[in-house]
Amino acid sequence: REAGLLGIDTLEDPLFEGVMGISITGKDSIIGSRRTSEEGLLEEEGTAADATSNERLRDVDPYNDPFTSKYKPDEMRCLGLIAHNHMKPAMKDFVLSHKEVLKKFRLTGTNTTMTMLKSVFGDDPSVRFGPTCQSGPLGGDAELCALMCLEDLGGMIFFQDPLSAHPHQADIDSLNRLGNVHNILTAPNPASAHAICFVLKCSLEQGRKDKIPSFFYSLQSPGVKVYKEEQRRQVERNK
């Protein structure tokens, strides 16, 4: 019963096996590490009740508990979702497993992923979509770079395929590099995306901009200050 309530009840579980790539033994360990208090609150083994997430065991997906966000989607910058071809099934399972958090943002991404998102969320009037970009090889990654530079991309979840060659590798490198330059919240794989969703939910529930600042403010890598100073000196030398 406990495994079923946690959404880890079958060997084909899409989140922990299909998305995370976790082993059957690993799934058993995850189940064993989560217990409930007398009030039904989820708690980790050897700790007090988890008051941060305030999740309760129900016969529903535990990562899709409905909650109220302190911020409206239009008050934040977009959240980008991108997945390479071999990673698209995992991205769909990830979205289904975390849609309550994801739908609190304006969602943007490359063409196929956006089509999938609109299929998953259907006619839900609360879901707001940002721009739909081209497919990656046709310039979609470059469009997301532009959105970032225009200060309307606060974070991105990018399921990258590390085992395939990509015709637009230069664009992929540019997207990753600019994500670091502009210091936005980035999840480059399913494990980090899963973890980040807990931070996103906590931040939205508590109204904590300081936990996800890149969705509200323009940030930059510490290296930018050094780079600008070097550029200033170069200009001075060329006068």
Side-chain angles (χ1 to χ4, degrees):
R1 182 173 182 273
E2 181 184 30
L5 291 175
L6 287 172
I8 320 173
D9 56 343
T10 67
L11 299 182
E12 295 79 26
D13 175 75
L15 174 61
F16 284 94
E17 287 200 38
V19 179
M20 307 287 284
I22 197 169
S23 66
I24 296 173
T25 303
K27 279 195 335 187
D28 293 340
S29 176
I30 288 176
I31 295 169
S33 72
R34 297 167 70 93
R35 296 290 184 264
T36 57
S37 65
E38 292 180 359
E39 294 79 17
L41 290 173
L42 285 174
E43 59 182 23
E44 296 298 326
E45 215 168 27
T47 67
D50 182 0
T52 303
S53 62
N54 198 33
E55 293 174 327
R56 294 180 180 276
L57 284 177
R58 304 171 182 172
D59 290 315
V60 295
D61 183 344
Y63 305 116
N64 271 329
D65 255 357
F67 70 96
T68 300
S69 171
K70 298 285 188 181
Y71 307 109
K72 297 178 181 178
D74 288 336
E75 295 176 327
M76 299 181 286
R77 301 182 183 189
C78 290
L79 173 62
L81 299 178
I82 315 102
H84 289 150
N85 286 342
H86 292 174
M87 306 294 286
K88 292 186 190 303
M91 175 61 83
K92 182 175 182 179
D93 287 336
F94 172 79
V95 171
L96 288 169
S97 299
H98 298 82
K99 61 183 180 180
E100 282 297 325
V101 174
L102 298 176
K103 74 179 186 178
K104 299 299 192 291
F105 294 86
R106 276 186 302 134
L107 300 175
T108 185
T110 46
N111 185 60
T112 306
T113 303
M114 288 295 285
T115 301
M116 177 271 290
L117 288 173
K118 292 174 181 178
S119 172
V120 168
F121 290 113
D123 297 325
D124 188 337
S126 67
V127 180
R128 296 296 306 275
F129 293 105
T132 295
C133 302
Q134 293 282 337
S135 175
L138 300 180
D141 291 359
E143 287 182 88
L144 287 166
C145 288
L147 196 64
M148 196 187 311
C149 293
L150 292 172
E151 302 181 338
D152 198 28
L153 188 69
M156 62 178 175
I157 294 173
F158 191 176
F159 283 13
Q160 303 177 50
D161 180 2
L163 301 177
S164 299
H166 307 284
H168 60 307
Q169 187 62 51
D171 293 351
I172 296 169
D173 293 342
S174 178
L175 183 57
N176 286 322
R177 188 184 72 81
L178 286 175
N180 288 325
V181 169
H182 294 279
N183 201 16
I184 68 169
L185 189 66
T186 304
N189 56 48
S192 56
H194 177 64
I196 279 175
C197 280
F198 293 98
V199 177
L200 295 177
K201 181 180 179 183
C202 180
S203 304
L204 298 181
E205 279 187 308
Q206 297 179 0
R208 294 285 300 271
K209 291 183 179 180
D210 61 310
K211 290 187 176 183
I212 50 172
S214 60
F215 285 94
F216 300 93
Y217 307 103
S218 296
L219 311 180
Q220 63 182 25
S221 164
V224 171
K225 182 178 180 180
V226 177
Y227 169 77
K228 287 184 175 180
E229 178 60 24
E230 291 176 348
Q231 291 297 100
R232 186 192 65 79
R233 291 174 182 172
Q234 184 63 44
V235 170
E236 290 295 321
R237 285 195 293 267
N238 291 337
K239 283 185 177 179

